[in-house]
Amino acid sequence: MSVVQIVALALASAILAITIKQYRPEISLLISLAVGIIIFMSLIPHIRTIISFIESFENSANIDFKIITPLLKIIGTSYIVEFGSEICKDAGEGAVAKKIELAGKILILILAFPIINALFETILNILKSL
Amino acid sequence: MGVDFIFKIAGIGIIVAVLNMLLSRSGREEQAMMTTLAGLIVVLLMLVREIGNLFETIKSVFRL
């Protein structure tokens, strides 16, 4: 899906969502949810190529600690959290959106621990070797 | 999966809105409520399948 198609689809569904909002607000929310799903599904092939491209770098760098996997987990978590919280904000539920974001931050922090450990170890090794 | 999916949902939304207005004008308030709920459930069922599909894809892509 080219960028023109994506923008056209988004505009069409925004107009549809507005027209239906005055009669059935919940269905207009579901329309915006459906557009989010469709646009992201159309981006999946591009994301896969980006990830394989980055992985080829990591393999060539032959460092022992695989940094790509936790990084991908963090990116995936942040995307899902953002997806959910924006939908809740559209529905007017600001408090629920903030709770989702809080949960996302905590989960991402947990995912980041291995990376932080690896960073400290490398720093300590460098200091020792001085 | 695509534009037709969105137009399907919008179509159901419009039909439900019109039916709701007709039924409430003709005095059948509870049936209007029923059609609204029925339309919402149909759209939700269609959407839940797509949301599950999306989350499965995200899990496989980002190795969650």
Side-chain angles (χ1 to χ4, degrees):
Chain A
M1 240 187 177
S2 72
V3 68
V4 170
Q5 276 174 319
I6 288 176
V7 172
L9 179 70
L11 288 181
S13 53
I15 292 165
L16 278 176
I18 288 288
T19 48
I20 294 183
K21 203 170 194 104
Q22 51 210 353
Y23 305 108
R24 296 258 64 78
E26 65 275 7
I27 296 208
S28 81
L29 178 75
L30 294 178
I31 287 179
S32 65
L33 189 61
V35 171
I37 292 173
I38 289 171
I39 288 179
F40 186 76
M41 293 298 263
S42 69
L43 291 175
I44 291 284
H46 307 296
I47 294 175
R48 282 192 204 274
T49 46
I50 293 171
I51 291 175
S52 55
F53 185 68
I54 293 174
E55 263 179 351
S56 64
F57 278 126
E58 192 193 30
N59 297 342
S60 66
N62 60 43
I63 44 175
D64 54 352
F65 178 69
K66 286 294 172 226
I67 196 161
I68 190 72
T69 317
L71 213 58
L72 277 185
K73 282 191 192 326
I74 289 175
I75 294 172
T77 316
S78 68
Y79 174 71
I80 292 181
V81 161
E82 191 263 343
F83 184 85
S85 74
E86 286 308 320
I87 293 292
C88 288
K89 276 194 196 115
D90 278 0
E93 299 294 331
V96 176
K98 280 284 178 251
K99 294 297 173 294
I100 294 178
E101 279 164 19
L102 172 69
K105 286 187 187 112
I106 291 172
L107 290 176
I108 285 174
L109 193 59
I110 290 176
L111 286 174
F113 276 162
I115 301 177
I116 296 172
N117 285 346
L119 182 67
F120 281 152
E121 273 156 27
T122 41
I123 291 174
L124 289 180
N125 293 346
I126 292 168
L127 291 182
K128 281 199 198 95
S129 63
L130 286 182
Chain B
M1 192 55 194
V3 190
D4 57 346
F5 185 65
I6 292 181
F7 290 147
K8 230 185 286 180
I9 295 184
I12 291 177
I14 291 172
I15 290 169
V16 162
V18 169
L19 268 177
N20 200 355
M21 223 168 277
L22 276 176
L23 285 170
S24 57
R25 279 296 181 300
S26 66
R28 296 188 187 84
E29 291 300 334
E30 62 288 349
Q31 283 173 3
M33 179 66 176
M34 287 301 157
T35 46
T36 313
L37 287 180
L40 188 62
I41 289 169
V42 165
V43 172
L44 272 177
L45 283 178
M46 285 159 51
L47 213 59
V48 162
R49 201 164 38 84
E50 296 306 327
I51 291 176
N53 195 359
L54 172 78
F55 282 159
E56 283 316 314
T57 319
I58 289 180
K59 270 198 201 140
S60 69
V61 166
F62 293 105
R63 299 192 200 99
L64 278 172

